[in-house]
Amino acid sequence: MSAGEASAPGCVIHGAGDLRVEDVAVPRPGPGEALVAVRYGGVCGSDLHYWRHGGVGDFRLREPMLLGHEVVGTVVAYGSPETAGPAAGTSVAVHPATPCGACPECADGRRNVCRDTRYLGSAARFPHVQGGFAARIVVPAEQLRPLPAGLDPRRGALAEPLSVALHAVRRAGEVAGRHVLVTGAGPIGALVVAAAKAAGAAHVTVTDLLPAALEYARAAGADTLVRADDPGDCGWPVEVDTAIEASGVAAGLDTCLRLVRRGGVVVQLGMLPPGHSPFAGNLVVSREIELRGAFRFDGEFDDALRLLAAEPAFDALVSAVVPVRDAASAFELAADRSRSCKVLLDFGAAPAG
């Protein structure tokens, strides 16, 4: 960084266990791009994987990378006067994906599985796509979404993970009036509960190992809470219509396959560990269970913002807001599901220098 060049704090991952808050150069927007002053950034499970393991699934770190893809902030400026977008000073959420628009998946309307997408804070390609955990970032203007009137930016920071949950519920098909099982009550699992209830699910059962996580699921609207290791009086449901696996462990998928009705739908949302994962494949055959994957989202982002604006109850899922300079403690807290649900980094007290 040259003398006199503006800088801003950012969370940079250098390898497993090596997270640093560094002053990074404030980027300059080019044509079609916007400079955004980030206010809040949500610590996601993938951020934790990069921090703990140096990668997510098969995506491994090969260079230092700004983390983060759950960000809200304020438009500062555009790279060119003709760039269309929300006016400077507008509070916005940032859609983290930039699909290529040319591959077969994009042409088929499935931009969330674009084979050449760019996603904030992802090591899926090299050079990596730098993320949004910096006080100033540059993104394509088309990725900006104005926050609906009255939507607090803290709650707005949930737009990205809620979009993931909404997409998973839509992958499940019709859930109105039905019994839905959700395995895993982490931040995504809790938001799946909210998404399923918003879609009209009659009853949502949630399982997890941690009582604290189950309480967050209750706040999101769960009807029945089941300790996976000790079902107690509630016990396992005899049968459910739809199951969404949000824990990212093979045991959760096994539970979904064993409890969903014949001809039912199981959606695998949680990212399983790399390599082979055992599951009850014979049940898929003998019961004609439909096993579907759910990956990221597309247009659900706009729906998520509208839902967040309408439901103040989502505030209960934000368990802590931590200044960016204390990012290390924020990641420690976010990794401890007995103490937290969604942890936000606050960039508001960290202006560019």
Side-chain angles (χ1 to χ4, degrees):
M1 190 163 57
S2 60
E5 186 177 14
S7 63
C11 295
V12 182
I13 189 72
H14 288 256
D18 189 1
L19 174 68
R20 309 177 196 176
V21 178
E22 302 176 352
D23 287 326
V24 297
V26 172
R28 295 182 179 180
E33 295 180 330
L35 177 65
V36 175
V38 174
R39 181 56 199 272
Y40 298 114
V43 179
C44 175
S46 61
D47 298 320
L48 295 176
H49 275 290
Y50 283 122
W51 168 59
R52 284 171 153 174
H53 311 298
V56 176
D58 296 325
F59 306 151
R60 312 304 299 176
L61 284 170
R62 298 168 60 189
E63 64 178 348
M65 182 179 75
L66 271 171
L67 290 174
H69 52 262
E70 303 176 5
V71 293
V72 294
T74 304
V75 178
V76 176
Y78 290 97
S80 55
E82 64 274 13
T83 301
T90 302
S91 294
V92 295
V94 178
H95 192 305
T98 307
C100 74
C103 69
E105 291 74 29
C106 285
D108 195 35
R110 303 187 68 175
R111 304 196 319 162
N112 61 299
V113 289
C114 167
R115 63 184 63 190
D116 194 29
T117 195
R118 298 180 61 83
Y119 207 87
L120 291 180
S122 171
R125 58 195 300 157
F126 186 81
H128 301 333
V129 180
Q130 298 297 311
F133 281 176
R136 299 291 185 273
I137 61 172
V138 163
V139 295
E142 63 186 18
Q143 291 179 232
L144 302 181
R145 302 290 190 275
L147 296 187
L151 176 56
D152 185 281
R154 291 191 186 193
R155 198 188 317 153
L158 296 174
E160 196 274 351
L162 180 56
S163 300
V164 172
L166 288 171
H167 182 70
V169 171
R170 289 177 182 175
R171 287 286 290 155
E174 184 61 66
V175 299
R178 299 183 177 179
H179 189 168
V180 177
L181 170 70
V182 180
T183 54
I188 292 293
L191 289 167
V192 169
V193 171
K197 297 297 279 190
H203 195 98
V204 177
T205 295
V206 183
T207 74
D208 200 282
L209 294 170
L210 298 176
L214 289 170
E215 288 305 314
Y216 281 114
R218 187 196 302 276
D223 299 288
T224 301
L225 310 176
V226 178
R227 275 280 299 270
D229 58 342
D230 183 16
D233 293 337
C234 290
W236 294 99
V238 175
E239 186 174 82
V240 299
D241 300 299
T242 302
I244 299 177
E245 204 300 293
S247 70
V249 297
L253 176 56
D254 187 76
T255 296
C256 289
L257 291 171
R258 295 185 186 281
L259 294 183
V260 76
R261 64 174 173 80
R262 292 174 180 269
V265 175
V266 172
V267 176
Q268 181 62 46
L269 172 59
M271 188 68 76
L272 295 167
H276 300 287
S277 295
F279 70 100
N282 283 343
L283 296 180
V284 176
V285 177
S286 63
R287 299 183 184 179
E288 285 202 350
I289 295 170
E290 293 189 46
L291 178 58
R292 304 172 183 174
F295 186 63
R296 294 178 178 167
F297 55 89
D298 188 21
E300 292 89 353
F301 196 78
D302 300 293
D303 298 328
L305 287 171
R306 287 190 286 269
L307 183 56
L308 289 167
E311 294 292 342
F314 282 104
D315 288 339
L317 302 184
V318 178
S319 49
V321 181
V322 181
V324 62
R325 294 292 186 186
D326 296 327
S329 64
F331 273 63
E332 292 281 358
L333 178 60
D336 185 352
R337 293 200 305 117
S338 70
R339 296 191 295 136
S340 70
C341 185
K342 177 57 66 175
V343 175
L344 304 183
L345 292 173
D346 186 353
F347 294 84

